[in-house]
Amino acid sequence: EAAAAAGRGGSSGPGACDGGGSIGSGGDASRVFRLGFHQVPSLPQLHMHVISQDLCAPGLKNKKHWNSFATDYFLDVDRALALLGASGRVHVDAAAMAAALQAPLACSRDGCGAGFGTMPRLKEHLAGCRRRAPGFDVAELREAESPRHSDSDDDGGSSGGHGS
Protein backbone atom coordinates (compact mmCIF):
# COMPACT_ATOMS: atom_id res chain seq x y z
CA GLU A 1 0.00 0.00 0.00
CA ALA A 2 2.71 2.46 0.96
CA ALA A 3 4.67 1.66 -2.19
CA ALA A 4 1.57 2.37 -4.27
CA ALA A 5 1.08 5.68 -2.46
CA ALA A 6 4.71 6.54 -3.08
CA GLY A 7 4.15 6.09 -6.80
CA ARG A 8 1.28 8.62 -6.67
CA GLY A 9 3.50 11.27 -5.04
CA GLY A 10 2.01 13.96 -2.79
CA SER A 11 1.14 12.54 0.61
CA SER A 12 2.44 9.39 2.14
CA GLY A 13 0.11 6.45 2.14
CA PRO A 14 -1.05 4.00 4.80
CA GLY A 15 1.86 2.60 6.73
CA ALA A 16 4.12 5.56 6.10
CA CYS A 17 4.75 7.40 9.34
CA ASP A 18 1.98 5.56 11.19
CA GLY A 19 2.34 5.87 14.94
CA GLY A 20 4.81 8.73 14.77
CA GLY A 21 7.80 6.58 13.83
CA SER A 22 10.10 4.98 16.32
CA ILE A 23 13.17 6.29 18.06
CA GLY A 24 15.78 4.31 19.87
CA SER A 25 14.31 1.51 21.94
CA GLY A 26 10.55 1.82 21.68
CA GLY A 27 10.29 5.63 21.77
CA ASP A 28 7.87 7.71 19.73
CA ALA A 29 9.31 10.42 17.48
CA SER A 30 6.01 12.32 17.59
CA ARG A 31 6.90 13.13 21.24
CA VAL A 32 10.41 14.36 20.40
CA PHE A 33 10.66 18.06 19.61
CA ARG A 34 13.22 20.55 18.43
CA LEU A 35 12.96 24.29 19.02
CA GLY A 36 14.81 26.64 16.75
CA PHE A 37 15.05 28.99 13.85
CA HIS A 38 15.54 28.85 10.11
CA GLN A 39 18.94 30.46 9.58
CA VAL A 40 17.46 32.39 6.66
CA PRO A 41 13.99 33.31 7.98
CA SER A 42 10.87 32.94 5.87
CA LEU A 43 9.13 35.84 7.67
CA PRO A 44 10.47 39.27 8.63
CA GLN A 45 9.34 38.85 12.27
CA LEU A 46 11.57 36.81 14.55
CA HIS A 47 9.81 33.51 15.14
CA MET A 48 10.79 30.16 16.59
CA HIS A 49 9.68 26.80 15.28
CA VAL A 50 8.61 23.96 17.56
CA ILE A 51 8.58 20.82 15.45
CA SER A 52 8.03 17.17 16.28
CA GLN A 53 10.75 14.92 14.97
CA ASP A 54 8.52 12.34 13.35
CA LEU A 55 8.62 14.88 10.47
CA CYS A 56 5.68 13.12 8.86
CA ALA A 57 3.15 15.93 8.57
CA PRO A 58 1.16 15.88 5.32
CA GLY A 59 2.29 19.46 4.64
CA LEU A 60 5.93 18.40 4.63
CA LYS A 61 5.98 17.45 0.96
CA ASN A 62 9.10 18.72 -0.77
CA LYS A 63 12.88 18.58 -0.44
CA LYS A 64 13.29 22.29 0.35
CA HIS A 65 10.78 22.12 3.20
CA TRP A 66 12.32 18.88 4.57
CA ASN A 67 15.83 20.31 4.42
CA SER A 68 14.74 23.49 6.19
CA PHE A 69 14.08 21.36 9.30
CA ALA A 70 16.43 18.38 8.85
CA THR A 71 19.78 20.05 8.01
CA ASP A 72 22.01 22.75 9.47
CA TYR A 73 19.57 25.25 7.94
CA PHE A 74 17.61 24.70 11.18
CA LEU A 75 19.45 26.30 14.11
CA ASP A 76 18.50 24.82 17.48
CA VAL A 77 17.59 27.44 20.08
CA ASP A 78 20.32 26.35 22.51
CA ARG A 79 22.95 26.79 19.77
CA ALA A 80 21.52 30.21 18.83
CA LEU A 81 21.68 31.32 22.47
CA ALA A 82 25.27 30.07 22.79
CA LEU A 83 26.30 32.01 19.67
CA LEU A 84 24.55 35.15 20.91
CA GLY A 85 26.19 34.80 24.31
CA ALA A 86 29.65 34.33 22.83
CA SER A 87 29.65 37.00 20.15
CA GLY A 88 26.38 38.91 20.41
CA ARG A 89 25.27 37.71 16.97
CA VAL A 90 24.58 34.70 14.78
CA HIS A 91 26.59 34.70 11.56
CA VAL A 92 24.73 33.09 8.64
CA ASP A 93 26.66 31.74 5.66
CA ALA A 94 24.07 32.40 2.93
CA ALA A 95 25.81 30.16 0.38
CA ALA A 96 25.97 27.25 2.83
CA MET A 97 22.28 27.70 3.71
CA ALA A 98 21.29 27.74 0.02
CA ALA A 99 23.27 24.52 -0.44
CA ALA A 100 21.59 22.96 2.63
CA LEU A 101 18.15 23.53 1.09
CA GLN A 102 19.30 21.80 -2.11
CA ALA A 103 20.98 18.84 -0.38
CA PRO A 104 19.73 15.35 -1.28
CA LEU A 105 16.92 13.96 0.89
CA ALA A 106 18.37 12.03 3.80
CA CYS A 107 17.12 10.60 7.09
CA SER A 108 17.82 13.06 9.91
CA ARG A 109 17.90 10.45 12.68
CA ASP A 110 21.18 10.24 14.63
CA GLY A 111 23.68 8.05 12.79
CA CYS A 112 21.34 7.03 9.95
CA GLY A 113 21.63 9.43 7.02
CA ALA A 114 20.05 7.01 4.53
CA GLY A 115 19.32 8.82 1.25
CA PHE A 116 16.08 8.84 -0.72
CA GLY A 117 14.92 10.14 -4.08
CA THR A 118 11.38 11.05 -3.04
CA MET A 119 9.56 12.31 0.05
CA PRO A 120 7.15 9.34 0.14
CA ARG A 121 10.12 6.93 0.24
CA LEU A 122 11.78 8.97 2.98
CA LYS A 123 8.57 9.01 5.02
CA GLU A 124 8.22 5.22 4.62
CA HIS A 125 11.75 4.86 5.95
CA LEU A 126 11.03 7.16 8.93
CA ALA A 127 8.13 4.93 9.97
CA GLY A 128 10.58 2.12 10.69
CA CYS A 129 13.89 3.85 11.40
CA ARG A 130 15.09 2.74 14.84
CA ARG A 131 17.66 5.52 15.26
CA ARG A 132 17.10 8.27 17.83
CA ALA A 133 15.53 11.47 16.58
CA PRO A 134 17.39 14.65 17.54
CA GLY A 135 15.63 16.84 20.08
CA PHE A 136 14.05 16.31 23.47
CA ASP A 137 11.33 13.83 24.42
CA VAL A 138 8.41 15.42 26.26
CA ALA A 139 8.18 12.28 28.41
CA GLU A 140 11.71 13.01 29.67
CA LEU A 141 10.57 16.50 30.64
CA ARG A 142 7.65 15.07 32.59
CA GLU A 143 9.98 12.64 34.37
CA ALA A 144 12.35 15.48 35.28
CA GLU A 145 9.45 17.45 36.75
CA SER A 146 7.78 14.54 38.54
CA PRO A 147 9.65 14.81 41.89
CA ARG A 148 8.07 18.23 42.41
CA HIS A 149 4.66 16.64 42.05
CA SER A 150 5.30 13.48 44.04
CA ASP A 151 4.71 12.90 47.73
CA SER A 152 7.23 10.04 47.83
CA ASP A 153 10.28 12.33 48.17
CA ASP A 154 8.96 14.61 50.90
CA ASP A 155 8.77 13.92 54.60
CA GLY A 156 5.34 12.71 55.51
CA GLY A 157 3.56 13.65 52.32
CA SER A 158 2.29 16.92 53.78
CA SER A 159 4.04 19.40 51.50
CA GLY A 160 3.04 20.71 48.11
CA GLY A 161 -0.50 21.59 49.12
CA HIS A 162 -1.42 18.10 50.27
CA GLY A 163 -2.40 18.91 53.86
CA SER A 164 -2.70 16.14 56.46
Side-chain angles (χ1 to χ4, degrees), residues 77-128:
V77 67
D78 57 345
R79 178 76 179 128
L81 291 172
L83 291 169
L84 288 170
S87 65
R89 65 194 244 14
V90 175
H91 172 74
V92 175
D93 181 337
M97 293 305 101
L101 288 180
Q102 296 305 314
L105 289 172
C107 179
S108 60
R109 304 283 170 86
D110 291 342
C112 183
F116 299 91
T118 66
M119 283 299 298
R121 295 271 188 242
L122 174 57
K123 287 184 177 186
E124 287 175 26
H125 166 79
L126 289 173

Side-chain angles (χ1 to χ4, degrees), residues 151 154-164:
D151 289 340
D154 60 39
D155 41 351
S158 61
S159 64
H162 299 280
S164 346

Side-chain angles (χ1 to χ4, degrees), residues 24-36:
S25 55
D28 179 354
S30 67
R31 293 188 333 216
V32 176
F33 290 84
R34 286 177 71 194
L35 287 74

Side-chain angles (χ1 to χ4, degrees), residues 34 36-43 47 49 63-76 90 92-103:
R34 286 177 71 194
F37 309 91
H38 285 146
Q39 290 207 45
V40 178
S42 56
L43 297 171
H47 62 282
H49 295 270
K63 179 171 75 168
K64 182 179 177 183
H65 201 204
W66 169 266
N67 284 340
S68 74
F69 291 106
T71 67
D72 288 341
Y73 192 89
F74 189 80
L75 180 64
D76 285 303
V90 175
V92 175
D93 181 337
M97 293 305 101
L101 288 180
Q102 296 305 314

Side-chain angles (χ1 to χ4, degrees), residues 125-150:
H125 166 79
L126 289 173
C129 185
R130 302 297 298 165
R131 303 291 183 130
R132 179 155 175 81
F136 65 91
D137 189 326
V138 293
E140 293 171 7
L141 291 178
R142 287 189 200 122
E143 290 170 12
E145 292 179 353
S146 64
R148 290 186 285 164
H149 302 291
S150 171

